[in-house]
Amino acid sequence: MKILVTGVAGFIGSYVANSLLERGDEVIGIDNLNDYYDVNLKKDRLKRLGIENINNSSSSIYENFTFILLNISDSEKLNNLFVDYDIQVVCHLAAQAGVRYSLENPSAYIQSNIVGFANILECSKNAKIKHLIYASSSSVYGLNKKVPFSVEDNVDRPISLYAATKKSNELMAYSYSHLYDLPVTGLRFFTVYGPWGRPDMAYFLFAEAILNNKPIKVFNHGHMERDFTFIDDIVEGIVRVIDNKPRRLENEPPYKLYNIGNNKPINLLHFIENIEHALGKKAIKQFEPIQAGDVTTTYANVDNLILDLGYAPKTPINEGINKFVDWYLSYYKY
């Protein structure tokens, strides 16, 4: 298939592109390489895909990969890309990430997550693509008390602008699916971690601080749980979803929504212990109250993913952390 992967220089996007390329799909990858975090890390992810020079899309590894520097908020350039490359499937992973940063720079989230996603939907409609897969987030569950979180739950109480934009994406996607018979699948990701991850994520910050003998901030005094999901599990789930587009059923549009999480929430202090063990070094813990926009627990019900696709994430936390730490020590030359 000819698949557009947005956010291809991102953590998840680079892995998805690699998986699709390995199995022989043609991938057109786009990214704006913004400076929300280290651009060099993004460029190094592209190098793994064979892109040594971002201004030259020819790849030394994959003949079936094309990289284009492009911002999804630029509707004209995005539309031209859909026409020029005859896109069949879209895996939309580009977004302004980060719950806490949305408190400081809300306009970035509106431009990327709302305007940019509207452009993706409009181009997908016009191109009559076969399947649009897009990234939502577990943050949409907000202040929900019932666990595990289910896609059937009400999600009308987001507690950050980031979460609100992801909820908006789900509503926008459903309406396009309904109006234009566009096959769309949304994926609510639960705390993805692993090698080549995002430097603003807690596990990244913990490893850096521990290695440099600096204190780590443990929010809500450690009384937090996260459904940490290893990157390999996430990617396998995404690829399975790509291959299984939803179909219209009676009065329902061809639209699906899945949780994709580990289905096994881990206590934050236990998570830190795994990092300590992998590094062979104890953390200096600085206990703090919960931050604005944070929730105490995330926990995914993945029954629908198992039922429809016969798949559920399975990597144990110690195995995933060990792989991350091995990469981290190598990449940052400790």
Side-chain angles (χ1 to χ4, degrees):
M1 291 186 291
K2 191 175 286 189
I3 303 174
L4 172 65
V5 177
T6 72
V8 75
F11 176 29
I12 301 174
S14 62
Y15 272 91
V16 169
N18 184 74
S19 182
L20 295 172
L21 290 165
E22 287 287 341
R23 72 176 196 172
D25 291 310
E26 182 177 349
V27 175
I28 296 88
I30 64 173
D31 205 291
N32 69 349
L33 294 178
N34 69 41
D35 60 359
Y36 169 62
Y37 62 81
D38 184 10
V39 174
N40 288 322
L41 176 59
K42 297 180 181 183
K43 289 180 178 178
D44 285 342
R45 293 185 187 129
L46 288 176
K47 287 179 182 177
R48 297 177 68 221
L49 298 172
I51 302 298
E52 295 290 338
N53 182 350
I54 62 171
N55 296 313
N56 181 358
S57 67
S58 61
S59 171
S60 61
I61 299 175
Y62 298 107
E63 292 183 357
N64 51 335
F65 180 53
T66 302
F67 172 72
I68 298 168
L69 190 65
L70 193 151
N71 193 318
I72 58 171
S73 63
D74 188 330
S75 59
E76 183 177 352
K77 288 184 179 179
L78 189 65
N79 186 65
N80 290 339
L81 178 137
F82 270 75
V83 173
D84 293 344
Y85 288 92
D86 189 26
I87 303 298
Q88 296 172 298
V89 172
V90 177
C91 183
H92 177 56
L93 301 169
Q96 178 57 59
V99 169
R100 289 162 191 157
Y101 186 60
S102 69
L103 305 177
E104 304 166 22
N105 192 1
S107 62
Y109 291 77
I110 300 301
Q111 280 302 309
S112 181
N113 299 7
I114 302 296
V115 175
F117 188 55
N119 291 338
I120 290 288
L121 286 168
E122 189 65 11
C123 289
S124 297
K125 176 203 77 175
N126 293 339
K128 295 182 170 56
I129 65 157
K130 296 177 180 178
H131 191 189
L132 166 63
I133 301 92
Y134 71 94
S136 186
S137 167
S138 62
S139 66
V140 301
Y141 290 105
L143 294 173
N144 281 22
K145 300 297 183 184
K146 181 184 76 65
V147 292
F149 299 153
S150 168
V151 292
E152 283 78 30
D153 293 345
N154 182 289
V155 288
D156 288 338
R157 296 192 296 167
I159 59 170
S160 70
L161 180 63
Y162 171 71
T165 63
K166 288 299 184 179
K167 166 67 174 175
S168 299
N169 288 172
E170 294 180 1
L171 295 171
M172 294 161 70
Y174 184 91
S175 67
Y176 265 73
S177 180
H178 170 77
L179 289 169
Y180 307 112
D181 206 34
L182 180 67
V184 181
T185 304
L187 294 171
R188 291 175 176 171
F189 295 133
F190 280 70
T191 317
V192 188
Y193 74 101
W196 296 98
R198 281 190 5 233
D200 62 320
M201 296 292 284
Y203 67 97
F204 223 102
L205 298 172
F206 291 162
E208 180 184 21
I210 292 169
L211 286 166
N212 290 286
N213 300 308
K214 294 180 180 179
I216 64 172
K217 292 183 178 180
V218 183
F219 293 107
N220 204 35
H221 305 282
H223 302 301
M224 300 182 81
E225 290 184 320
R226 288 289 180 271
D227 207 338
F228 293 102
T229 316
F230 191 62
I231 183 62
D232 290 355
D233 291 333
I234 288 287
V235 172
E236 184 181 342
I238 292 172
V239 172
R240 289 196 186 206
V241 167
I242 286 172
D243 294 339
N244 289 271
K245 71 176 183 180
R247 304 188 183 279
R248 181 177 287 277
L249 297 173
E250 296 183 4
N251 297 323
E252 285 298 312
Y255 180 86
K256 292 290 278 187
L257 188 61
Y258 294 109
N259 285 334
I260 183 162
N262 205 37
N263 195 226
K264 294 176 183 175
I266 303 294
N267 177 270
L268 181 57
L269 292 175
H270 179 60
F271 185 70
I272 293 169
E273 286 174 7
N274 275 274
I275 297 176
E276 290 174 324
H277 184 266
L279 290 172
K281 195 172 184 181
K282 285 289 185 181
I284 305 167
K285 301 181 184 71
Q286 182 177 314
F287 292 97
E288 303 273 354
I290 195 167
Q291 283 200 315
D294 260 355
V295 296
T296 58
T297 302
T298 63
Y299 181 2
N301 178 329
V302 295
D303 290 350
N304 290 343
L305 197 65
I306 296 170
L307 182 65
D308 292 351
L309 304 179
Y311 168 74
K314 56 186 178 298
T315 304
I317 196 71
N318 62 321
E319 181 183 324
I321 287 297
N322 285 339
K323 288 181 178 179
F324 162 71
V325 166
D326 287 346
W327 167 82
Y328 187 95
L329 294 175
S330 173
Y331 183 77
Y332 290 102
K333 297 179 173 57
Y334 277 94

